[in-house]
């Protein structure tokens, strides 16, 4: 029964009307881009989906430039931090806090096997939402400063390194390049086929077409 109720609540919050009944003007700014991107992706055979755990509805998408009043559930989503944070993060916090409130209440009143316990379970929805709002608010600044796209790729072209094995012609070897104090091991080939001896300093010239290794040449200060 509890699982059914949780499933119903999840569908109500995340599914009901969420098929862009957040018609709240996301359609104005995003429709053109979505149409172009979707068409080009389908024609090219690529259709990318973002991980739902990172799904985030920005407050500006719901509040900014709206043409009509917000619906009650949109206001609740904004107020209880389901907007502005990854939805699944806030939702998971809420479910856990709701479960904790219910467990503590029914344990203290010995009502976990009675209808009163079920009433406590339903009544815990509101206080658990309030606690979730307090608990998740400090995370807003963290997620705001979090790099969603991950670390930017490091450009090794033009950097110096030290060869870890003797290479020549088409023979591939490894080299160590220090980037911002962090040593990185990469595969290299000689740019012109000339021999580069072990522990010799090299200069990274370019990356291979398949991006699996780099071309390097000996470097003398």
């Amino acid at each position: 029964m509890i699982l059914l109720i949780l499933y119903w609540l999840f569908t109500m919050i995340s599914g009901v009307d969420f098929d862009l009944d957040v018609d709240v003007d996301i359609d104005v700014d995003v429709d053109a881009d979505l149409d172009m991107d979707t068409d080009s992706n389908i024609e090219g055979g690529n259709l990318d989906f973002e991980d739902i755990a990172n799904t985030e509805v920005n407050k500006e998408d719901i509040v900014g430039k709206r043409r009509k009043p917000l619906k009650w559930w949109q206001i609740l989503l904004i107020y209880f931090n389901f907007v502005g944070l990854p939805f699944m993060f806030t939702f998971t916090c809420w479910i856990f806090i709701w479960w904790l409130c219910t467990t503590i209440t029914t344990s203290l009143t010995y009502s976990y096997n009675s209808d009163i316990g079920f009433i406590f379970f339903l009544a815990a929805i509101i206080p658990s939402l309030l606690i979730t709002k307090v608990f998740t608010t400090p995370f807003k600044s963290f997620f705001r400063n979090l790099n969603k796209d991950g670390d930017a790729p490091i450009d090794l072209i033009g950097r110096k390194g030290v060869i870890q094995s003797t290479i020549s012609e088409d023979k591939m070897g490894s080299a160590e390049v220090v980037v911002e104090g962090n040593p990185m091991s990469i595969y290299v080939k000689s740019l012109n086929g000339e021999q580069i001896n072990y522990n010799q300093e090299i200069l990274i010239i370019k990356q291979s077409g398949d991006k699996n290794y780099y071309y390097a040449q000996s470097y003398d200060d």
Side-chain angles (χ1 to χ4, degrees):
M1 173 64 76
I2 291 177
L3 290 177
L4 287 175
I5 292 174
L6 288 176
Y7 177 76
W8 172 77
L9 286 168
F10 176 75
T11 14
M12 182 186 73
I13 292 175
S14 62
V16 96
D17 271 352
F18 222 35
D19 46 20
L20 280 155
D21 202 339
V22 184
D23 42 47
V24 212
D25 291 292
I26 299 182
D27 45 29
V28 174
D29 299 324
V30 182
D31 274 353
D33 293 336
L34 277 180
D35 291 338
M36 293 175 61
D37 291 342
T38 304
D39 292 341
S40 60
N41 285 337
I42 291 176
E43 289 173 4
N46 296 320
L47 193 55
D48 299 328
F49 294 93
E50 185 178 356
D51 185 356
I52 190 173
N54 294 322
T55 301
E56 178 179 340
V57 182
N58 296 316
K59 188 173 182 178
E60 292 77 13
D61 295 333
I62 292 185
V63 178
K65 299 184 294 182
R66 68 178 187 272
R67 296 187 300 266
K68 54 186 178 182
L70 296 177
K71 297 181 180 180
W72 64 269
W73 61 268
Q74 293 170 334
I75 296 174
L76 289 179
L77 287 177
I78 294 172
Y79 182 77
F80 290 113
N81 292 341
F82 288 94
V83 170
L85 286 171
F87 178 82
M88 288 306 296
F89 171 77
T90 307
F91 181 78
T92 302
C93 290
W94 173 46
I95 292 299
F96 177 76
I97 292 172
W98 184 12
W99 168 81
L100 193 61
C101 290
T102 304
T103 301
I104 293 174
T105 305
T106 53
S107 296
L108 291 176
T109 57
Y110 299 100
S111 57
Y112 37 79
N113 284 329
S114 66
D115 293 338
I116 301 298
F118 183 73
I119 294 174
F120 282 138
F121 165 74
L122 295 178
I125 294 177
I126 302 302
S128 63
L129 281 172
L130 294 173
I131 297 172
T132 300
K133 176 179 173 62
V134 174
F135 177 76
T136 56
T137 295
F139 288 94
K140 283 188 172 182
S141 59
F142 170 77
F143 281 104
R144 191 180 301 118
N145 298 323
L146 190 65
N147 185 3
K148 298 180 182 178
D149 300 325
D151 296 330
I154 299 174
D155 186 10
L156 298 179
I157 308 301
R159 294 183 183 271
K160 293 184 291 184
V162 177
I163 191 74
Q164 302 294 307
S165 58
T166 300
I167 60 173
S168 61
E169 298 180 350
D170 287 333
K171 183 180 178 182
M172 185 183 299
S174 62
E176 184 179 89
V177 181
V178 178
V179 180
E180 298 178 357
N182 300 315
M184 296 180 59
S185 182
I186 59 173
Y187 291 109
V188 295
K189 278 186 178 183
S190 176
L191 177 64
N192 300 316
E194 64 180 8
Q195 180 170 314
I196 304 177
N197 297 320
Y198 168 75
N199 212 30
Q200 188 174 348
E201 196 168 19
I202 60 171
L203 181 67
I204 308 300
I205 303 300
K206 64 179 182 179
Q207 192 173 23
S208 65
D210 57 10
K211 300 186 183 300
N212 289 329
Y213 59 92
Y214 292 84
Y215 289 99
Q217 67 181 26
S218 58
Y219 180 83
D220 296 321
D221 291 327

